[in-house]
Amino acid sequence: MTTDRCQPGWEERARILVVDDLPANLRLLREILKKQYDVLLAKDGRTALDLVASHPPDLILLDVVLPGMDGFEVCRRIRANPDHQDIPILFVTSLGDEAEENRGLELGAVDYLPKPIQASLVLARVRNHLGIRRMIREIKRLSARNEMILQSAGDGIIGVNDLGETIFINPAARRLMGWAPGEMLGDPLESLVERSRPESGRRSQVSCSTWDALSGGGARQVARDQFWRKDGSSLPVEYTINPIVEQERVTGAVMVFKDISWRLELERQEVAGMASRLALSALLETGLESITLERQLEVALEIIFSVPWLSLMKKGALFLWDEEQQVLEMRASSNLPPQQLVTCARVEPGRCLCGRVAKERQVLFAGCVNHLHEITYDGMEDHGHYTVPILRGKTLLGVMTFYVTPGHQAKPGEEAFLATAAQTLANLINHRRLEGALEEAHNRLHHMAHHDKLTGLPNRRLFEDFLERALALVQRERGRLAVMYLDLDHFKPVNDFFGHETGDLLLRQVAQRLQGLLRESDTVARLGGDEFAIVLPEIQGRDAAVLVAIKVIETLGRPFKVGPHTCRIGASVGIALFPDHGREQKTLLRNADKALYQVKDAGRNDYRVFADPEIEGTA
């Protein structure tokens, strides 16, 4: 069975080589050892050396006096082989010569066993030296492992003695700092991290932390500092320094440091990302504000310029695409000179940077004023541009352009952010246009629902709404109001003789004459067919209403030129007054209608005020 000699308890079956020329001694030692160990026997030095080579023992009991080759020579030859230098060798001898004992120890023996042999002493010393060997091997193993860890560690590790002098530098530290193998050993740690600093006469934070640790101040940890490499470049680091304490005395310190460039870059990216998200969120929030599109675009420029990580001058413009005119129109700008506001007010597709972007629908970067800048003006300074299309799918909505200092190099992150901002703006612009279209459609539908399609006058529904509001107003102010119902006389023959198209044109002209006759505060509506209605708010009284009725009859009594035809019609008007003839809408309308029918019954082309005993006059 193979014994794992690296595990605890391996000495229980350790292999012991006994070398003695007397068989009795060999038998005795084997009897003593065999219960706990595997025992190999050799009668002479040559046999012993062969067994050591073929079956390396864990411990050797070696007689000094041997035939041919004495024990001292055997010991010397075993120790000459590097693979066998750690095998404990105990001389077994009856010699009591101190000089001989010293000679054996100098050759590499670890102890002596006196003859005559005592079993308890043999077992005790074998067990002790096997234990010592095991501990030595474990220490070496741990040391090798620790050395491997130190050498393989990704962090830089520097060890110093109690004077602050460097005694260990692992490969990672050399790589991070740019030192060659073996370089800087023995130098003060301060010189390793200070030697390339431009200032002189200063002690670095590292140095102070090191001396704190060496002075018994305990461990030190620094989350962020800057070391200087051999070539003079800086290295952002975090590090810890721990003192090495032996027998209550500080004998050195170990510094472990790591490159935190990646962490700082992540922090920078996180800050930039947060700023970008806040800016885009602010852009979206402009869509919730009750501001004009032009103001929204101005705010968008301000938001983009506020992003701290963008290398933009606070100078630029936003254009919107006029689909009908096929041209870019500048709708917002920042810090552009007056002459540029004029020369770039309208840009055709393909002209200058903005026109090219409008035509090609791709981001365009220019690091300076070059041949692409077709629009120039006196005194124009050199500059660069990010010019970005504002697209909704494949539809061009506009272009935004931002100035950069001449010589600026395009950065993918900047271009990506501006493209995202352009997409956000495209959504906002499209939303605004949809809102405008919806509002226009709503207004159109509202107009259609409340106005006569033929004449554009308010219809019955809107007329009654106007009348209701007018009544509420005059009631509060204790004023007067007149309602008129109006029918066209002799309109049906026009329709029958000349056709409905001529009749429709005639109705439009009637509506125009009535609108031209009345005040801005008055309301005229077409109720249907040849019926019209008028509201006269804030009227002085009956006489004023009668005067308006007479003007209406006279105006509509004049001939109408409708295409090639001349048409003559008349008008019959019924009048009801608030509060004389009613205080409610329904009552006033009913009474005005009654007055109208009194006119029709009396022969038409005249007016009547409700409750008048007879027609007041002939128009």
Side-chain angles (χ1 to χ4, degrees):
M1 181 179 66
T2 302
T3 301
D4 185 352
R5 301 174 186 272
C6 294
Q7 297 298 323
W10 65 269
E11 69 275 7
E12 292 179 2
R13 297 309 301 174
R15 183 181 298 138
I16 309 297
L17 173 60
V18 179
V19 186
D20 199 309
D21 60 334
L22 297 177
N25 289 338
L26 290 177
R27 288 193 300 270
L28 176 59
L29 287 171
R30 181 175 63 185
E31 289 298 319
I32 294 171
L33 299 171
K34 68 179 182 179
K35 289 184 179 181
Q36 299 181 36
Y37 308 104
D38 294 334
V39 182
L40 300 177
L41 303 177
K43 296 181 179 181
D44 55 54
R46 176 57 57 188
T47 304
L49 293 176
D50 291 341
L51 286 172
V52 170
S54 60
H55 297 82
D58 297 302
L59 184 141
I60 301 173
L61 298 179
L62 179 60
D63 191 10
V64 174
V65 180
L66 295 172
M69 183 188 303
D70 64 13
F72 295 129
E73 180 61 19
V74 173
C75 181
R76 187 189 67 78
R77 293 192 183 190
I78 291 173
R79 288 289 183 256
N81 188 333
D83 294 336
H84 303 148
Q85 289 181 352
D86 67 334
I87 300 175
I89 299 175
L90 283 72
F91 279 118
V92 182
T93 179
S94 58
L95 301 175
D97 191 338
E98 184 178 348
E100 291 295 320
E101 290 183 1
N102 290 336
R103 179 186 175 192
L105 295 175
E106 290 173 358
L107 288 173
V110 297
D111 205 349
Y112 275 85
L113 280 174
K115 291 182 180 179
I117 295 170
Q118 299 179 33
S120 59
L121 181 61
V122 170
L123 290 173
R125 292 194 177 179
V126 166
R127 183 166 48 252
N128 289 341
H129 285 291
L130 285 175
I132 292 171
R133 187 190 189 217
R134 179 182 64 78
M135 288 188 291
I136 292 173
R137 282 194 166 187
E138 181 66 13
I139 291 171
K140 288 182 177 180
R141 185 183 69 82
L142 292 174
S143 296
R145 186 179 68 178
N146 292 339
E147 179 70 16
M148 179 185 67
I149 292 173
L150 291 174
Q151 297 294 340
S152 303
D155 294 344
I157 302 174
I158 299 176
V160 298
N161 59 20
D162 57 349
L163 299 178
E165 298 169 340
T166 306
I167 58 175
F168 172 81
I169 304 174
N170 77 334
R174 293 196 300 270
R175 173 179 54 79
L176 291 171
M177 301 298 289
W179 300 323
E183 190 175 12
M184 309 309 293
L185 286 175
D187 289 349
L189 180 60
E190 180 178 350
S191 68
L192 271 62
V193 295
E194 283 281 335
R195 60 182 299 177
S196 299
R197 287 184 184 266
E199 62 267 34
S200 59
R202 289 180 56 188
R203 176 170 289 178
S204 70
Q205 184 177 359
V206 173
S207 177
C208 295
S209 299
T210 303
W211 286 112
D212 283 345
L214 292 175
S215 302
R220 291 290 182 269
Q221 183 172 0
V222 179
R224 183 170 177 177
D225 197 8
Q226 185 166 266
F227 287 3
W228 295 85
R229 297 186 178 95
K230 180 180 178 180
D231 62 5
S233 61
S234 63
L235 175 69
V237 297
E238 68 175 11
Y239 63 87
T240 58
I241 295 180
N242 288 282
I244 300 173
V245 180
E246 296 178 314
Q247 298 180 352
E248 300 183 356
R249 174 177 170 270
V250 177
T251 60
V254 175
M255 179 178 71
V256 180
F257 67 95
K258 63 173 59 180
D259 180 359
I260 60 170
S261 300
W262 61 273
R263 190 182 78 193
L264 299 183
E265 177 60 20
L266 285 178
E267 291 176 358
R268 187 197 67 77
Q269 292 179 7
E270 180 62 26
V271 171
M274 180 61 72
S276 301
R277 290 190 292 273
L278 290 174
L280 295 175
S281 177
L283 281 177
L284 288 172
E285 288 177 3
T286 62
L288 304 176
E289 300 179 14
S290 299
I291 56 177
T292 64
L293 178 58
E294 282 71 16
R295 178 54 186 159
Q296 188 175 17
L297 297 178
E298 291 173 355
V299 173
L301 282 177
E302 295 171 3
I303 290 171
I304 293 172
F305 287 135
S306 71
V307 179
W309 63 271
L310 292 176
S311 303
L312 303 178
M313 302 170 63
K314 295 188 182 301
K315 192 174 182 181
L318 279 168
F319 296 81
L320 293 185
W321 176 247
D322 187 328
E323 183 66 28
E324 183 177 348
Q325 299 293 325
Q326 292 289 294
V327 69
L328 286 172
E329 291 186 341
M330 186 187 298
R331 303 290 288 274
S333 65
S334 176
N335 297 317
L336 297 184
Q339 57 267 45
Q340 189 173 5
L341 295 176
V342 175
T343 56
C344 294
R346 294 168 64 87
V347 180
E348 298 81 10
R351 185 172 184 231
C352 206
L353 297 180
C354 296
R356 285 179 179 269
V357 169
K359 183 177 181 180
E360 299 172 4
R361 287 157 165 75
Q362 292 183 345
V363 177
L364 180 61
F365 175 80
C368 61
V369 174
N370 55 25
H371 66 283
L372 299 178
H373 288 73
E374 300 176 31
I375 299 177
T376 59
Y377 54 89
D378 292 339
M380 185 172 75
E381 298 179 352
D382 194 14
H383 61 273
H385 278 285
Y386 279 110
T387 307
V388 184
I390 303 173
L391 300 172
R392 175 74 174 176
K394 294 183 179 180
T395 303
L396 178 69
L397 300 182
V399 169
M400 58 184 191
T401 184
F402 300 96
Y403 282 56
V404 295
T405 54
H408 179 73
Q409 299 296 315
K411 298 179 180 179
E414 291 181 335
E415 184 174 318
F417 172 78
L418 293 176
T420 304
Q423 183 62 53
T424 304
L425 272 177
N427 293 333
L428 292 174
I429 294 169
N430 185 66
H431 179 69
R432 279 300 181 99
R433 289 183 174 178
L434 286 176
E435 281 185 337
L438 288 174
E439 184 177 358
E440 182 180 347
H442 172 75
N443 292 338
R444 186 166 57 252
L445 290 172
H446 185 273
H447 188 274
M448 292 172 62
H450 294 83
H451 290 77
D452 175 51
K453 183 178 180 181
L454 179 63
T455 63
L457 294 176
N459 60 14
R460 182 182 295 275
R461 179 179 177 184
L462 185 58
F463 173 78
E464 291 176 352
D465 182 56
F466 283 153
L467 178 56
E468 190 70 30
R469 283 185 282 155
L471 283 171
L473 180 63
V474 296
Q475 285 176 0
R476 285 197 305 269
E477 297 181 357
R478 298 183 179 182
R480 298 175 66 82
L481 174 147
V483 177
M484 294 182 179
Y485 264 172
L486 182 154
D487 268 6
L488 300 182
D489 299 330
H490 314 300
F491 176 74
K492 187 174 184 300
V494 174
N495 247 355
D496 295 342
F497 188 77
F498 297 118
H500 288 285
E501 183 176 352
T502 300
D504 289 347
L505 293 174
L506 176 59
L507 288 172
R508 289 187 183 131
Q509 290 190 29
V510 169
Q512 291 171 1
R513 288 191 185 185
L514 290 174
Q515 286 176 310
L517 176 68
L518 300 174
R519 301 171 301 176
E520 187 174 344
S521 60
D522 301 334
T523 299
V524 57
R526 182 185 178 213
L527 304 184
D530 61 354
E531 297 179 4
F532 294 82
I534 298 172
V535 177
L536 303 175
E538 301 176 4
I539 198 166
Q540 294 299 318
R542 177 183 179 283
D543 293 342
V546 168
L547 181 60
V548 172
I550 293 172
K551 288 182 179 180
V552 167
I553 294 170
E554 290 178 346
T555 299
L556 298 183
R558 293 196 300 268
F560 287 87
K561 184 68 174 176
V562 184
H565 311 295
T566 300
C567 304
R568 292 181 179 275
I569 61 173
S572 298
V573 181
I575 305 169
L577 300 172
F578 170 89
D580 309 65
H581 306 137
R583 303 184 68 86
E584 297 179 355
Q585 179 185 120
K586 184 177 180 180
T587 304
L588 286 171
L589 292 176
R590 183 177 66 246
N591 291 338
D593 189 48
K594 288 181 179 180
L596 172 63
Y597 277 94
Q598 289 176 355
V599 177
K600 288 185 177 183
D601 292 341
R604 301 177 181 272
N605 201 39
D606 208 341
Y607 70 89
R608 180 176 288 277
V609 178
F610 177 74
D612 282 359
E614 58 183 16
I615 299 175
E616 294 295 332
T618 301

